[in-house]
Amino acid sequence: MTATSANPEKRTLADEAYTELKSRIMRSELTPGAKLSIDGLAKQLAFSQTPIREALARLESEGLLARRPLSGYTVEPLLSAAEFADLFEIRMMLEPRAARRAAERGLLEVPSDFAATAGRKTDPTGAARSRAAIAPAATPGLSADEANALLAAALTPDPGADKLLFTEADARFHNAVAAMSGSGQLAKAIRRLDTHLHLHRAYIEPESIGETEVEHLAVANAIIARQPAAAEAAMRTHLERSRTRHQPAFEAARTEPAPKPKRARASR
């Protein structure tokens, strides 16, 4: 077997390990502050150590895990009340500016994986609203494919879907707008901030998911229309409302007992 043919299998196992571990972190089956053993996880999840190592490194890069000398990996702790307030204050400084810069750019640079999200569906009302938003032709400097990709990234899953899907969809949109700002440092800072909301998003109420989509689409349409002030204002409004929605989710995440771990899956 050549190296080329072996790589896809290796990546697939690492991706499976990453998905399983992230899911367990999101559902607090791996609790905040918990120490993780590579050997222990490999035995529990029936993976070899190599994909476990790769998955842990990926989760560390996303800010969900911390690696400390001589003690291995630990799950990042939940935010304190002061840290939660600071997080949104910093996001309010950075993300409206990113949205403005994205609208100001003549040609938006859309991440290559956007096209894969273009056909994703949401609830019947959301799907109809999204199709209506995608229909208009793109403005000069922004291709139809780029406009459609941005609008697709703004969509959220069905309210009854797994909360992990909402977490990924929400992060994908905010990271997309950040990437479109044209500032690598700004985009990197926003990605790191967004990570800290992962655990709290798991407690978001279903009705909030539809509200999030409407607000995302308002930001996306302002960017597509190349209206910097409107894009900035729409992102600011979204963050203000998001903070209100996240407050009870934040409190629930800090007070609800962690669920019992699930049994390991079958061997691979």
Side-chain angles (χ1 to χ4, degrees), residues 49-206:
Q49 291 191 7
T50 297
I52 293 293
R53 290 180 192 275
E54 294 181 15
L56 292 175
R58 185 173 171 185
L59 291 166
E60 180 192 12
S61 72
E62 293 183 1
L64 290 175
L65 299 180
R67 187 176 185 179
R68 293 175 170 78
L70 305 178
S71 61
Y73 289 94
T74 59
V75 180
E76 282 284 8
L78 294 174
L79 298 175
S80 67
E83 289 170 336
F84 177 82
D86 286 344
L87 172 64
F88 269 92
E89 182 176 351
I90 296 171
R91 292 186 75 190
M92 292 290 285
M93 295 176 185
L94 299 181
E95 296 202 51
R97 177 59 179 166
R100 170 179 277 276
R101 289 187 57 160
E104 290 172 342
R105 300 194 64 189
L107 179 62
L108 302 185
E109 298 175 1
V110 181
S112 59
D113 61 347
F114 269 21
T117 69
R120 190 159 48 85
K121 292 177 64 178
T122 99
D123 62 278
T125 302
R129 179 174 61 251
S130 301
R131 284 195 296 269
I134 292 174
T139 58
L142 180 62
S143 72
D145 286 345
E146 289 167 334
N148 285 342
L150 178 59
L151 288 165
L155 305 185
T156 57
D158 294 328
D162 192 305
K163 294 293 181 64
L164 185 58
L165 295 178
F166 170 66
T167 292
E168 294 172 343
D170 194 31
R172 181 167 53 245
F173 176 72
H174 285 271
N175 291 340
V177 174
M180 289 177 177
S181 72
S183 169
Q185 291 301 313
L186 182 57
K188 182 178 180 180
I190 290 172
R191 284 197 302 271
R192 294 293 294 183
L193 287 171
D194 187 80
T195 297
H196 294 288
L197 284 178
H198 277 335
L199 292 174
H200 303 104
R201 283 192 184 103
Y203 291 82
I204 288 289
E205 294 299 325

Side-chain angles (χ1 to χ4, degrees), residues 1-12:
M1 182 179 293
T2 66
T4 301
S5 60
N7 283 340
E9 181 179 359
K10 182 178 180 182
R11 285 196 299 269
T12 297

